[in-house]
Amino acid sequence: YQRRVHGGELVAGSPDVYKGGAGCGACYKLCGPKACKVVQIMDEGGPSKNMSFNAYVNAYIGVTGNGPWGPPTPVTATAVKCSTKGPIWLRCLDGQGYYLRVVFTNVGGHGTIDKVGASVNSKNYDLSRAAGASWSLNPGIDMSGQKIDFVLHQGVATSKVSLTFSGKCGAPVNGSGNFK
């Protein structure tokens, strides 16, 4: 079984890599005795420290040359920029007029998002990390039919994605740009 995104493999990272969801989307170059592969963190899994990764079978074999039931094989891991094409995508996961939970994918740069802000009816709000890579917006007003402008932050860099919220979630929305 193999999952690919951004030209790399999806993997789970130990808690020190996943960082309670803040590391979700980060890309690493794993190098073993057979080859190097770029992987992207999508979940938490593995020992509690020492930067470890749980890879799908094909990624593991591709880097180590060993099957998953062979001996543990040391690999080196280096944080790298994620290779993306096109704009950031916004997907609404859950929402009703007063609440919205979203996830942003196809994120370039280092792949993670440090902070998300939103503007609804010319008022600015900070989103809170909901779970993993998802973010929630709870402004205390009915957002149905409103245009919501999201501003994503990676350090000092920003990127924008807009959504006109119908009151329920639908198809993914493409943003206008991406991190480099």
Side-chain angles (χ1 to χ4, degrees):
Y1 180 66
Q2 179 175 332
R3 300 276 316 266
R4 297 181 66 77
V5 67
H6 307 314
E9 308 281 345
L10 294 175
V11 300
S14 56
D16 59 328
V17 172
Y18 187 67
K19 301 174 185 170
C24 192
C27 292
Y28 290 84
K29 183 177 184 179
L30 301 182
C31 293
K34 184 175 178 188
C36 294
K37 283 188 178 253
V38 173
V39 299
Q40 186 175 36
I41 303 303
M42 57 150 275
D43 201 356
E44 183 176 327
S48 61
K49 57 184 177 178
N50 299 328
M51 192 185 275
S52 64
F53 302 85
N54 279 347
Y56 287 106
V57 173
N58 290 347
Y60 184 80
I61 292 170
V63 170
T64 67
N66 294 330
W69 299 276
T73 305
V75 299
T76 60
T78 307
V80 296
K81 286 189 174 186
C82 296
S83 173
T84 60
K85 292 182 182 179
I88 292 172
W89 302 333
L90 161 70
R91 177 138 199 131
C92 175
L93 300 174
D94 183 28
Q96 302 186 3
Y98 292 85
Y99 170 79
L100 189 60
R101 188 168 60 99
V102 297
V103 66
F104 303 94
T105 60
N106 201 42
V107 177
H110 53 75
T112 61
I113 299 170
D114 302 324
K115 178 182 172 185
V116 179
S119 176
V120 183
N121 288 333
S122 301
K123 286 187 143 186
N124 296 324
Y125 302 93
D126 288 327
L127 278 72
S128 56
R129 188 176 296 279
S134 66
W135 296 83
S136 64
L137 175 61
N138 235 340
I141 60 169
D142 187 356
M143 297 178 287
S144 298
Q146 301 298 317
K147 181 179 179 200
I148 305 169
D149 295 313
F150 295 95
V151 179
L152 289 63
H153 298 263
Q154 266 187 2
V156 296
T158 61
S159 191
K160 296 181 181 181
V161 181
S162 295
L163 165 73
T164 299
F165 184 50
S166 68
K168 57 184 177 179
C169 295
V173 175
N174 285 341
S176 57
N178 208 330
F179 296 104
K180 304 256 183 262

